[in-house]
Amino acid sequence: MEKFFAEFNIDAMVFGAIVASVILAFVLVVVIFSVRYKSQYEKIADLRERLKEREEKISLLEESMREVQILNATQLQEIQQYQDLEERYRSEKAKVEEQLALAKERIEAQREKIADLEAKKAELEANLNNTRENLAKANEEIENVRKRNEFWVEQLSELRTKHEAVKSKLRRYES
């Protein structure tokens, strides 16, 4: 070891300081990477939670859409029934005029309900599409984070390998 110090003209304290600096730098790198990985895993967990929430919203929206379709079908049936009533009672003018007025009011109300339901359906479909797009973006973001994590794991592995090599060289120099 004294030959080594003499050959490079360094003394033991400088060599000790160099070794301590290398070890301290490695510890600092390990701490930084562990903090980064922790925050990225927290982001992934948060994204998964948001993904679950969005999937729940999607199922609620799909259920609402089914209800709208059922309501639409029943309302179309009701309209057909009112039209049948109108045709049946044409012969009896006095009764027909009363029932026709009522039927027209009901039909108009049903059409308004249909228009409202169709508007709601369009809004729900837009929300569903938006949620799907957001879900796709979230999946992309998760994949990007996963790729970055893999890259940093590889980097950390390389640093560990280099650290082991430095430790091995250091042991050889010490012995």
Side-chain angles (χ1 to χ4, degrees):
M1 197 65 143
E2 290 176 20
K3 284 182 185 180
F4 175 74
F5 292 146
E7 185 178 320
F8 291 105
N9 196 21
I10 51 175
D11 95 67
M13 292 201 55
V14 171
F15 182 73
I18 291 170
V19 170
S21 296
V22 168
I23 292 172
L24 188 60
F26 178 75
V27 168
L28 185 61
V29 166
V30 168
V31 166
I32 288 171
F33 283 126
S34 67
V35 167
R36 272 188 148 172
Y37 284 133
K38 182 180 178 186
S39 70
Q40 288 178 351
Y41 284 125
E42 289 172 352
K43 285 180 184 176
I44 288 173
D46 182 48
L47 287 173
R48 284 185 179 147
E49 184 64 32
R50 282 198 239 153
L51 179 64
K52 285 180 186 176
E53 290 173 3
R54 288 187 176 147
E55 286 173 347
E56 289 172 4
K57 286 180 183 177
I58 286 172
S59 73
L60 287 175
L61 288 173
E62 287 173 344
E63 187 177 320
S64 295
M65 217 163 95
R66 277 187 237 114
E67 289 174 5
V68 165
Q69 288 172 343
I70 290 169
L71 284 174
N72 224 356
T74 56
Q75 297 207 346
L76 287 173
Q77 287 174 349
E78 287 179 13
I79 289 172
Q80 186 62 42
Q81 288 172 356
Y82 288 125
Q83 288 173 348
D84 290 344
L85 284 175
E86 185 179 7
E87 287 176 20
R88 273 190 226 151
Y89 295 105
R90 266 193 195 149
S91 60
E92 301 176 23
K93 196 166 190 170
K95 291 179 183 179
V96 168
E97 288 177 357
E98 265 183 50
Q99 291 180 357
L100 184 60
L102 290 173
K104 284 182 179 180
E105 288 176 0
R106 288 181 185 163
I107 288 172
E108 189 57 38
Q110 293 299 322
R111 285 187 180 149
E112 289 175 7
K113 285 181 184 177
I114 288 172
D116 290 344
L117 288 174
E118 286 176 351
K120 189 174 182 179
K121 177 184 173 185
E123 180 183 335
L124 289 174
E125 286 175 348
N127 286 342
L128 179 61
N129 289 336
N130 187 25
T131 302
R132 284 185 180 149
E133 289 173 8
N134 290 341
L135 183 61
K137 288 177 185 176
N139 285 336
E140 261 185 62
E141 191 174 329
I142 287 172
E143 187 59 33
N144 289 340
V145 168
R146 188 176 295 126
K147 286 178 183 176
R148 284 195 302 261
N149 282 348
E150 289 173 3
F151 170 77
W152 288 115
V153 166
E154 289 175 18
Q155 294 296 316
L156 185 58
S157 174
E158 289 176 16
L159 280 174
R160 284 184 181 149
T161 305
K162 288 178 184 176
H163 175 68
E164 290 300 321
V166 169
K167 280 173 65 179
S168 172
K169 285 180 184 177
L170 183 61
R171 285 188 198 127
R172 277 189 259 141
Y173 287 132
E174 288 177 354
S175 60

